[in-house]
Amino acid sequence: MARNKTVCCGLSALEVTLGVLFGLMTAVTVALVQDTHTDPPHPPFHPPPPPPSGDPQHKPYLIGIGRADCTGPPADIPLMGYASTEQVAAGIHTRLYSRAFIVDDGRKRVVFVTADVGMISQRLRLEVLQALQTKYGDLYRQDNVVLSGTHTHCGLAGYFQYTLFMVTSKGYIPASVKPLVNGIVKSVDIAHRNMRPGRIYRKKGELDGSSLNRSPHSYMNNPEEERHKYKTNTDKQVVVLKFTDLDGDGIGMLSWFAVHAVSMNYSNRMVSSDNMGHASYLMEQDKNPGELPGQGGFVAGFSSSNLGDVSPNIKGPYCMNTMEPCDYLNSSCPVGGTKMCKAFGPGNDMFESTRIIGHNIYTKAKELYAAADEEVTGFIQSAHQWVNMTDVTIQFNNTHMASTCKPALGHSFAAGTTDGGGDLNFTQGSTEGDPFWDRIRDTLLGPPSNKTQECHHPKPILFNTGEMNWPLPWHPQIVDVQIITVGTMAIVAVPGEFTTMSGRRLREAVKQELESDGLIRDWEVVLAGLSNIYTHYITTYEEYQVQRYEGASTIYGPHTLSAYLQNYAKLARAIAQDRVSTLPPGPEPPFFKKNLFNLLPSAPVDGKPVNRSFGDVLEQVSPVYRPGDVVSVTFVAGNPRHSGDIRDKSFVTVEIFDNRTETWEIVHTDASWETRFHWLKGLKRQSTAKVEWHIPATAVAGLYRIQHFGHYMHFQNLRPTIKPYQGSSQAFTVTPSFYYQRHH
Ligand code: ZN
């Protein structure tokens, strides 16, 4: 059987067909998933007093900022992004965090959350909003809370309620949903509790050398006069908001930059926050000196943007077998086809690439943060609507009309991208169907209706998701559109991956409406990508005609972008005219309680080698290391899923012996960039934890040890019982490197 992997943000055809078959076979045993909320109800919320009045021109805001761990059990659960059946979690590279920013002008309040997840799903958002409602009543609502994902492809999957996404995620997985919901809500709780008067400053700059357009052929199909308005075929802009208290001390930073978080590729199986998360990590380590990762008051959010056609693999695509460039339109190779064409760089491996891209984004943001001097002042607004995206009529002028379509994915969707391509014989840029796959589709799923086929033209439909409703709809119909504004800063929350040019058109349309009252102001409009609900990609009409991966994944048809331009313009106009309360909420999205399925088997009882205990060292460390070396130690381990809620804990510590206090001090956890926690499955339900410490050049010389913490399940009195365990390496010495001795 062909190996299936690496379709960025999507599925390969075989997976879906297999998924359908599997679904049919298991119809009888579909496991209904129970409601995930276990938190007791909280007392109603009492709003804080209004901010102190000062100079009305520069009245401070109330600002609250919070960060919380949202990492789920890093074992057995598929990772979300490449839709590879082989890419299931097996350890931790870096932890995942949710970062929340609340701003209040004494009259209105908005919340912006950027979380280290592939994307926000409608289900995740609805569960978060329900939890916030229970705690805070009507304070945090669908109109004033934006949830955005960084688009890391190495977070856990399984938090979707539409069938297409459940098929590749082993269903709806409560173990994956809970830490996300609880982590996001906790970040809002922390922000809520520490609200204080403060100020916001903004700065914009450009970052080169960190992004590359992965579908230039599509981009070139945009009108020439439009392309000539821009220097580059990806947006290089970095927009930074600096948050300070009234003393001017920095308390947080929020930024937007458009690049895919796919520096970590489909071969990685450790949970990782990828390049955007690494930028947050570096900024927070910098601003919280002496703190372990995830600790410290300063919070740095790096939000996604219009990254639809933007790759971080800046050496670009080439054929791995011949080192020749790939075909320009199809991104395929003469020998090996699509799967041989991959993009790489800038580093020699994915870890180095992640580090370089993350460091570049961090460095630019830090520079802009330091220089931010343009104060953001003025009222806060939020506008939100639910829109039925399958049925939007677009009025181009008085004579010309068009409509969106029921969702469908085209053939090129199954080809994947040069950041991770499908293994089947699909190529990008396909505007003609393939009889072989069409026959399979018709047999298994039924042919798309003529109306849907015509509506999506020139997209040859592979998955007719809009007409598939078993056991639940395969794709959403009701989509969130939302804009929040703070002074003249507008954050447009978009439900998927806008391409570069789509994003530019949307920013421009929103800006135009915001300025429609005739007052010229310095509006800064940013797109927050992967927000609120996931609807794949949104290309321009012209890009859609080329039907590369992004066009094939524009699920509501060629006029999807036009529909969004119309709907977001409506919100922006309401904001400009101060009448957001008159916007009808639109049709409420469904919250499915039945027919969610969970195909993840429960974690089995753990086995261990005879005469060994959990936590025992199987492969010991060496006595001496130098900076630059990799320390490695392997322990007898339990399944990390037995550790339950792993948030704010660590499977790993690197500790140094403090001679003065004669105690071990933690210098790294599993959230640290320098550590890698690999969970490896063996035979007979036995597993091991291989812990690596990549000793940084900055490491202090001294005596160290590595500890591993976990839980195992065994039978006690014939009942499965979970017990904690702990293991420690022998102590080892890190000596100064030769370089270090000579120069310091
Ligand atoms: Zn993507």
Side-chain angles (χ1 to χ4, degrees):
M1 188 175 77
R3 282 190 313 137
N4 276 294
K5 54 182 189 192
T6 73
V7 182
C8 167
C9 334
L11 323 166
S12 77
L14 190 55
E15 278 156 5
V16 173
T17 36
L18 288 175
V20 173
L21 285 170
F22 191 49
L24 288 166
M25 289 186 297
T26 54
V28 205
T29 53
V30 162
L32 293 188
V33 175
Q34 299 304 311
D35 189 4
T36 61
H37 293 306
T38 50
D39 286 359
H42 291 255
F45 165 76
H46 298 288
S53 57
D55 178 357
Q57 291 282 301
H58 295 283
K59 200 174 125 186
Y61 295 110
L62 271 180
I63 298 170
I65 295 176
R67 173 191 51 242
D69 190 344
C70 61
T71 314
D76 297 332
I77 299 174
L79 298 182
M80 187 67 207
Y82 296 110
S84 158
T85 46
E86 288 166 29
Q87 201 196 16
V88 293
I92 294 181
H93 174 227
T94 54
R95 278 193 175 241
L96 311 178
Y97 294 96
S98 170
R99 296 174 170 91
F101 299 79
I102 306 179
V103 187
D104 190 314
D105 66 359
R107 194 184 67 114
K108 285 192 174 181
R109 172 177 296 208
V110 287
V111 184
F112 184 86
V113 172
T114 170
D116 293 324
V117 283
M119 57 284 288
I120 304 296
S121 72
Q122 183 179 73
R123 180 67 180 210
L124 177 57
R125 174 170 166 86
L126 290 173
E127 294 201 22
V128 167
L129 288 173
Q130 281 181 5
L132 291 174
Q133 160 88 36
T134 307
K135 284 191 167 184
Y136 300 103
D138 285 336
L139 187 64
Y140 300 120
R141 312 169 302 270
Q142 78 265 13
D143 67 287
N144 71 349
V145 175
V146 171
L147 306 180
S148 171
T150 59
H151 207 33
T152 173
H153 282 41
C154 300
L156 300 185
Y159 55 96
F160 290 77
Q161 65 173 358
Y162 291 97
T163 305
L164 181 82
F165 306 112
M166 286 197 283
V167 162
T168 44
S169 303
K170 295 186 183 166
Y172 173 89
I173 303 169
S176 171
V177 180
K178 271 188 194 172
L180 285 176
V181 174
N182 294 340
I184 291 172
V185 170
K186 186 174 175 186
S187 69
V188 175
D189 287 340
I190 294 170
H192 177 87
R193 281 201 301 270
N194 70 24
M195 288 189 75
R196 76 210 98 160
R199 298 190 185 278
I200 306 173
Y201 302 88
R202 92 181 159 205
K203 191 79 181 178
K204 185 160 122 176
E206 298 213 330
L207 173 59
D208 290 319
S210 301
S211 58
L212 182 86
N213 193 305
R214 69 184 188 189
S215 283
H217 192 287
S218 309
Y219 181 89
M220 287 303 286
N221 214 37
N222 289 311
E224 197 179 349
E225 62 274 22
E226 183 182 38
R227 285 186 282 112
H228 281 171
K229 288 198 286 184
Y230 305 97
K231 283 185 302 196
T232 48
N233 63 4
T234 62
D235 276 340
K236 306 291 183 190
Q237 67 170 49
V238 180
V239 178
V240 162
L241 294 183
K242 172 182 185 172
F243 298 86
T244 74
D245 60 19
L246 289 185
D247 298 330
D249 292 328
I251 54 175
M253 189 216 71
L254 182 54
S255 72
W256 291 267
F257 180 61
V259 72
H260 255 79
V262 292
S263 290
M264 296 297 288
N265 66 37
Y266 54 85
S267 68
N268 169 54
R269 289 180 57 192
M270 288 180 289
V271 164
S272 174
S273 59
D274 210 291
N275 49 32
M276 296 296 268
H278 190 50
S280 283
Y281 175 91
L282 291 171
M283 186 85 175
E284 290 179 354
Q285 289 291 92
D286 187 42
K287 297 289 180 185
N288 298 311
E291 298 279 1
L292 290 169
Q295 310 283 320
F298 191 95
V299 177
F302 286 78
S303 171
S304 61
S305 194
N306 51 326
L307 50 62
D309 50 359
V310 189
S311 168
N313 298 315
I314 57 172
K315 280 186 189 166
Y318 53 88
C319 298
M320 291 187 293
N321 44 4
T322 61
M323 306 310 254
E324 296 287 312
C326 313
D327 176 84
Y328 184 61
L329 167 63
N330 304 123
S331 294
S332 67
C333 298
V335 178
T338 304
K339 67 180 164 188
M340 272 300 152
C341 174
K342 291 274 184 285
F344 294 94
N348 290 320
D349 61 34
M350 62 181 167
F351 296 97
E352 201 189 357
S353 294
T354 303
R355 186 181 58 73
I356 294 169
I357 297 293
H359 193 267
N360 289 353
I361 301 169
Y362 148 73
T363 306
K364 177 52 73 174
K366 186 182 167 187
E367 170 198 320
L368 295 169
Y369 176 88
D373 53 0
E374 189 189 335
E375 185 165 3
V376 176
T377 60
F379 290 123
I380 283 172
Q381 292 273 23
S382 62
H384 173 274
Q385 280 188 313
W386 285 302
V387 177
N388 183 344
M389 272 303 290
T390 68
D391 190 17
V392 179
T393 304
I394 303 113
Q395 188 78 46
F396 286 107
N397 47 47
N398 287 336
T399 53
H400 185 46
M401 274 170 40
S403 172
T404 54
C405 320
K406 284 184 180 176
L409 290 159
H411 273 247
S412 303
F413 164 74
T417 73
T418 50
D419 292 327
D423 270 0
L424 303 172
N425 62 339
F426 290 92
T427 53
Q428 296 197 65
S430 162
T431 50
E432 278 167 37
D434 178 297
F436 173 73
W437 285 108
D438 284 350
R439 207 159 49 240
I440 290 180
R441 173 203 65 196
D442 293 354
T443 313
L444 283 170
L445 310 172
S449 68
N450 287 341
K451 189 182 171 199
T452 296
Q453 288 195 45
E454 279 163 29
C455 189
H456 281 272
H457 182 80
K459 177 198 287 173
I461 293 176
L462 182 64
F463 297 121
N464 176 30
T465 52
E467 294 171 348
M468 290 155 63
N469 292 298
W470 189 88
L472 285 169
W474 281 56
H475 261 149
Q477 294 191 328
I478 313 296
V479 174
D480 296 70
V481 293
Q482 184 178 26
I483 302 176
I484 59 175
T485 61
V486 176
T488 54
M489 184 75 206
I491 301 168
V492 180
V494 297
E497 313 185 39
F498 274 59
T499 60
T500 301
M501 198 61 100
S502 293
R504 286 168 176 168
R505 287 189 195 172
L506 182 57
R507 287 204 303 263
E508 214 159 279
V510 167
K511 191 173 161 78
Q512 203 178 337
E513 291 297 336
L514 289 171
E515 289 171 353
S516 63
D517 59 3
L519 297 173
I520 305 295
R521 276 167 306 194
D522 54 344
W523 279 102
E524 183 64 55
V525 180
V526 293
L527 255 62
L530 293 305
S531 291
N532 299 339
I533 174 174
Y534 187 60
T535 64
H536 301 255
Y537 284 73
I538 298 92
T539 64
T540 67
Y541 176 83
E542 294 82 358
E543 290 163 353
Y544 183 93
Q545 305 307 312
V546 182
Q547 281 296 304
R548 280 179 57 87
Y549 176 80
E550 296 82 10
S553 306
T554 297
I555 60 173
Y556 300 110
H559 301 290
T560 302
L561 174 62
S562 300
Y564 283 129
L565 293 178
Q566 187 171 290
N567 279 300
Y568 282 97
K570 206 188 289 175
L571 300 185
R573 213 173 306 136
I575 288 173
Q577 297 168 356
D578 195 14
R579 50 167 188 80
V580 290
S581 57
T582 66
L583 285 169
E588 253 190 69
F591 185 88
F592 299 124
K593 292 189 170 156
K594 289 181 181 168
N595 292 347
L596 294 170
F597 53 88
N598 178 5
L599 304 174
L600 181 74
S602 55
V605 166
D606 290 301
K608 64 177 175 63
V610 273
N611 300 328
R612 292 284 195 174
S613 300
F614 290 95
D616 278 3
V617 173
L618 293 171
E619 283 169 60
Q620 193 53 267
V621 296
S622 304
V624 182
Y625 295 91
R626 290 171 190 278
D629 288 348
V630 180
V631 187
S632 178
V633 53
T634 304
F635 300 92
V636 177
N639 188 320
R641 285 168 66 199
H642 291 318
S643 293
D645 187 354
I646 65 154
R647 294 176 303 136
D648 302 314
K649 297 178 181 129
S650 184
F651 288 100
V652 171
T653 54
V654 176
E655 303 172 15
I656 187 169
F657 191 71
D658 186 329
N659 287 316
R660 286 176 302 116
T661 59
E662 300 202 331
T663 53
W664 291 96
E665 301 285 331
I666 298 172
V667 291
H668 297 296
T669 65
D670 62 16
S672 300
W673 174 261
E674 294 84 356
T675 60
R676 293 177 198 170
F677 163 49
H678 297 276
W679 179 65
L680 305 163
K681 264 175 153 170
L683 297 170
K684 299 180 190 166
R685 302 183 321 279
Q686 295 181 8
S687 63
T688 54
K690 183 183 174 192
V691 179
E692 288 176 344
W693 178 32
H694 294 243
I695 309 175
T698 53
V700 177
L703 190 66
Y704 287 84
R705 72 176 181 190
I706 291 175
Q707 295 218 78
H708 164 55
F709 306 85
H711 293 75
Y712 66 93
M713 186 195 263
H714 72 145
F715 277 109
Q716 195 171 359
N717 302 328
L718 300 173
R719 288 191 20 213
T721 309
I722 289 175
K723 288 225 172 105
Y725 69 85
Q726 162 174 359
S728 182
S729 75
Q730 282 174 357
F732 56 91
T733 306
V734 173
T735 63
S737 67
F738 182 57
Y739 176 88
Y740 202 78
Q741 283 176 324
R742 272 180 47 201
H743 294 271
H744 293 264

